Amino acid sequence: MIGLQDEERVSNRPAKQLWLPFEIKGGLFTSKADTASPVEDEQLMEEVVERDNLLTALRNVKRNGGAPGVDGKTVKELPEYLKRQWPKIRRQLVSGTYVPLPVRRVEIPKPGGGIRQLGIPSVLDRFIQQALMQVLQREWDATFSKSSYGFRPKRSAHQAIQQSQRYLKEGYGWVVDMDLEKFFDRVNHDKLMSEVRKRVSDRRVNTLILRFLRSGVEHEGELLITEMGTPQGGPLSPLLANLLLDTLDRELEYRGHRFVRYADDCNIYVRSKRAGSRVLKSIGQFLNRHLKLSVNEAKSAVGRPWERQFLGFTFSKRLNRKISSK
């Protein structure tokens, strides 16, 4: 929690207009000039609540739609709700006192069996997460590995498959197909927040991210504490996943491996089965030791590309791409 002294701390330079609070006057987020001089490296929250960023976030949330969260409010209700409540919500965000609602758990069946647990935030929390994600992604994305393709601007699963095909045709004909065990459910909050704090000095933003991670889950009328994981279903989770797994990307690059990662799906391309077995074991140990994550041994294997499937695709023995039978 940010203390009063932290909130009042200012630089010794003359005050200047660094951010704009917003009132509702006939429209959303109408600007009202104000002056303040927060410490320059701690004004990220002011970027989050900047008018254009908020309008973009609202458009994205409305376009993406989605089910209501625990409060039952729908996406259609969000603009009118913001007209009434935004000044209060903004004050809470800027002061570091905003507390998100728990997410609503929804279980959906996986095509290959089992269930996937989604955490659906309230529409207000989705809006705030979207606004926060847009600012953080602008700062972080350019620093991520070029071998990471999932949930990034101007990158796609098709590009990931094209890169896989290039590695195969270069002679790296064995695939280390690595699946992480329940990744989104088992993200270690301490490890993740350590990576966030390396990039974010605004403690209000750090506190808000941690509150989103630990907001709890409501399932069948019961509130469950979330001590690990980042719920699938919110706009912020994919970016946080890429941040945490950037540690894996850098380790693979340091070792000189050819690889393609799409969120928690990662394929590493090697020249022999023996080399692949060594890589799978070694990287599994690295993940466990440094990120507190586990490789799903039942779903991970070393094989030929036509024996494995990646992002809905597989390859023929001539290394042509084709849609997987699954």
Side-chain angles (χ1 to χ4, degrees), residues 34-305:
D34 195 351
T35 58
S37 55
V39 177
E40 280 201 21
D41 64 350
E42 294 188 357
Q43 55 181 323
L44 199 62
M45 185 63 80
E46 280 70 33
E47 293 184 40
V48 173
V49 299
E50 189 272 328
R51 181 174 183 270
D52 288 345
N53 186 58
L54 295 173
L55 290 173
T56 300
L58 183 58
R59 284 194 298 269
N60 286 327
V61 169
K62 289 169 67 176
R63 184 182 67 245
N64 293 335
V70 295
D71 61 356
K73 288 188 173 64
T74 65
V75 172
K76 288 184 178 180
E77 296 175 86
L78 180 59
E80 188 61 35
Y81 179 79
L82 290 172
K83 285 182 180 180
R84 299 193 308 270
Q85 300 295 330
W86 178 248
K88 180 182 75 173
I89 297 165
R90 185 194 180 282
R91 286 194 297 271
Q92 292 174 343
L93 290 168
V94 172
S95 66
T97 59
Y98 181 83
V99 179
L101 291 174
V103 300
R104 181 171 66 89
R105 175 171 290 174
V106 176
E107 297 180 344
I108 59 174
K110 292 183 179 181
I115 60 170
R116 174 176 286 110
Q117 295 181 343
L118 299 183
I120 309 299
S122 70
V123 291
L124 175 60
D125 287 336
R126 288 214 293 277
F127 167 68
I128 293 171
Q129 283 194 34
Q130 179 69 32
L132 179 57
M133 184 275 291
Q134 289 167 181
V135 171
L136 295 178
Q137 189 171 63
R138 284 199 300 267
E139 299 208 358
W140 296 356
D141 190 75
T143 70
F144 290 157
S145 169
K146 62 181 178 61
S147 297
S148 166
Y149 290 87
F151 307 108
R152 296 182 61 188
K154 300 179 181 180
R155 286 179 165 250
S156 68
H158 283 88
Q159 291 173 336
I161 294 299
Q162 288 168 0
Q163 183 59 61
S164 298
Q165 188 177 34
R166 283 192 285 269
Y167 286 142
L168 294 171
K169 290 187 173 182
E170 288 171 5
Y172 297 89
W174 289 85
V175 182
V176 182
D177 187 359
M178 193 166 60
D179 183 89
L180 300 183
E181 183 86 35
K182 296 182 178 180
F183 169 74
F184 283 95
D185 296 332
R186 296 185 178 178
V187 165
N188 183 284
H189 290 173
D190 290 338
K191 293 290 184 182
L192 175 56
M193 290 308 301
S194 175
E195 295 302 316
V196 171
R197 292 186 187 104
K198 290 176 184 177
R199 295 168 179 254
V200 177
S201 58
D202 190 326
R203 283 172 285 180
R204 299 166 300 174
V205 172
N206 291 332
T207 299
L208 181 59
I209 292 173
L210 186 59
R211 284 177 180 163
F212 277 126
L213 292 172
R214 296 186 176 173
S215 62
V217 175
E218 186 178 280
H219 182 58
E220 297 181 348
E222 183 180 1
L223 181 61
L224 308 174
I225 298 172
T226 45
E227 296 179 340
M228 65 174 63
T230 175
Q232 291 178 272
L236 195 56
S237 289
L239 179 64
L240 295 177
N242 275 332
L243 175 65
L244 184 64
L245 291 176
D246 191 60
T247 302
L248 169 63
D249 297 343
R250 298 307 172 187
E251 179 66 17
L252 292 171
E253 289 174 348
Y254 175 75
R255 298 185 185 193
H257 289 308
R258 279 78 175 167
F259 70 98
V260 173
R261 183 177 65 78
Y262 192 98
D264 56 331
D265 289 331
C266 185
N267 275 6
I268 306 167
Y269 299 90
V270 295
R271 292 188 183 275
S272 69
K273 185 176 182 179
R274 184 176 180 181
S277 298
R278 287 198 306 266
V279 168
L280 182 58
K281 180 180 178 180
S282 177
I283 293 301
Q285 293 171 343
F286 173 86
L287 286 166
N288 186 265
R289 185 167 59 250
H290 292 277
L291 297 180
K292 305 298 182 184
L293 296 171
S294 299
V295 170
N296 186 329
E297 295 184 2
K299 294 184 178 180
S300 302
V302 179
R304 289 295 197 177

